[in-house]
Amino acid sequence: QVQLVESGGGLVQAGGSLRLSCVASGIDFGYYAMGWFRQAPGKERERVSCISSADGHTYYPDSVKGRFTTSRDNAKNTVYLQMNSLKPEDTAVYYCAAGHLGLYCSEDVSEVDFGSWGQGTQVAVSS
């Protein structure tokens, strides 16, 4: 059974930083692309980042590009999301997700490409 557990969320002032972690179990982690998504109240879930398994290739949408960085430690079955220069509009519940086997991160990735999800961690950015 796949389990993804996020941590690291919290309350931070605008301009601050947070680092989210997601520990995976029940999968051969090194073979799976990993994504981060977020969902703000009343809004649709939005992709935040994706990191491929084979070569560590990453994808970010324009909304977070240059501010957020994802990385992975396959030895620890962990994916990270470093968030810098946070803005109030970054406030949301952040979810990590494991991609379907063989997924390669690109601008075309979406929720349907991910089969397992964590429970989410709340990030709140005050102005």
Side-chain angles (χ1 to χ4, degrees), residues 30-113:
Y31 287 97
Y32 289 84
M34 298 297 296
W36 286 95
F37 291 76
R38 66 187 181 187
Q39 189 166 21
K43 295 188 176 181
E44 294 187 351
R45 191 172 294 184
E46 174 190 16
R47 57 187 179 175
V48 174
S49 69
C50 184
I51 183 166
S52 298
S53 59
D55 58 5
H57 174 75
T58 55
Y59 164 78
Y60 307 94
D62 289 342
S63 57
V64 306
K65 191 177 295 182
R67 300 188 298 122
F68 290 11
T69 302
T70 189
S71 60
R72 63 191 297 158
D73 185 338
N74 289 343
K76 295 182 178 180
N77 284 10
T78 302
V79 62
Y80 303 97
L81 183 67
Q82 177 67 44
M83 304 185 293
N84 299 328
S85 302
L86 282 161
K87 305 174 181 180
E89 52 263 44
D90 294 318
T91 295
V93 177
Y94 284 70
Y95 301 89
C96 77
H100 295 305
L101 194 61
L103 176 68
Y104 190 77
C105 297
S106 72
E107 63 181 7
D108 297 323
V109 294
S110 69
E111 286 185 65
V112 300
D113 295 310

